[in-house]
Amino acid sequence: ALKTAYCALMRAPDEVARRELRSLVARAAGAAVAATPHEGGGPAGKAVQLALRLHAQFGEDVGVWSAFFLNYVQMGPGECLYMPANTPHAYLSGDIVECMACSDNVVRGGLTPKFKDLDVLCEMLSYKGSGPPAIEPLELDQGARLYGHRDLDEFQVLHARIGGGSRRTQSFSDQGPSLGFVWQGSGSVDIGGGTIRLAPRGVF
């Protein structure tokens, strides 16, 4: 039923999708929708407010309707989600670290000026109604968290906080290629006999 509803919506004629979206915007503007997504108001109120926000950003794009099909998740520092293959998702605001397994395609369905392949999208998606798939980090030691998932064998994410004047030794040699970047602070890292100075936005 979820696939039937979503595909019927995404494949609806442009004028139909736009007409119904205009109707939604008009009803929401004239109604006392309780709160913004950041203030609560229940799932329905959050979905409507999110749809209005997306409409303001993307106009009469059919992807605005996805607000009523997907989980709306507000993430805090250190929180992590796992998106299995064929799971639709969209980033709305803020800064995140995204790691993606090897793939040769990204299929888009809306909220973008890029090419949208709705037929492929509708057939490839996984239609499962559930909550957001959160990942609980493994606390390696003080200031170090390892993010991984039992279904992932291609990468892990290590988040390390290193206090001023302290050092940390980490070996990645048996785990394949590694990439690091600096979010805050400054310091240095010794790799392969050389020293690299680090600053915010630095990559090594």
Side-chain angles (χ1 to χ4, degrees):
L2 186 59
K3 178 179 180 179
T4 300
Y6 188 72
C7 292
L9 171 66
M10 298 300 286
R11 289 169 169 160
D14 288 346
E15 182 50 39
V16 173
R18 291 171 182 170
R19 183 186 68 232
E20 296 303 319
L21 186 55
R22 289 193 295 268
S23 177
L24 170 69
V25 171
R27 292 199 309 273
V33 180
T36 69
H38 295 283
E39 297 171 341
K46 290 181 179 181
V48 171
Q49 290 295 328
L50 179 56
L52 293 178
R53 174 180 163 191
L54 296 175
H55 176 263
Q57 290 180 270
F58 297 97
E60 296 175 350
D61 188 302
V62 68
V64 172
W65 289 105
S66 293
F68 298 96
F69 287 85
L70 307 182
N71 292 301
Y72 177 74
V73 182
Q74 295 171 263
M75 300 177 66
E79 293 183 336
C80 179
L81 294 179
Y82 167 57
M83 297 295 176
N86 302 326
T87 300
H89 56 281
Y91 308 113
L92 302 176
S93 63
D95 298 312
I96 64 169
V97 175
E98 179 187 13
C99 294
M100 182 175 177
C102 292
S103 173
D104 61 357
N105 68 80
V106 174
V107 181
R108 300 175 178 87
L111 307 181
T112 176
K114 298 179 180 179
F115 175 71
K116 292 175 281 192
D117 195 332
L118 298 181
D119 289 335
V120 171
L121 180 76
C122 286
E123 293 306 317
M124 69 180 284
L125 292 183
S126 175
Y127 296 92
K128 296 179 181 179
S130 62
I135 292 180
E136 292 295 329
L138 175 64
E139 299 283 349
L140 299 181
D141 51 49
Q142 186 174 5
R145 293 179 173 182
L146 182 66
Y147 295 85
H149 192 275
R150 62 182 179 274
D151 293 338
L152 292 174
D153 56 10
E154 296 185 273
F155 61 82
Q156 293 177 323
V157 176
L158 174 69
H159 180 204
R161 291 178 178 269
I162 304 174
S166 61
R167 297 174 60 91
R168 177 182 178 83
T169 300
Q170 185 74 37
S171 175
F172 297 98
S173 59
D174 61 344
Q175 300 179 32
S178 301
L179 173 70
F181 71 92
V182 182
W183 176 249
Q184 290 180 323
S186 61
S188 62
V189 60
D190 297 329
I191 301 177
T195 299
I196 302 173
R197 292 293 176 184
L198 302 177
R201 298 184 297 276
V203 179
F204 59 95

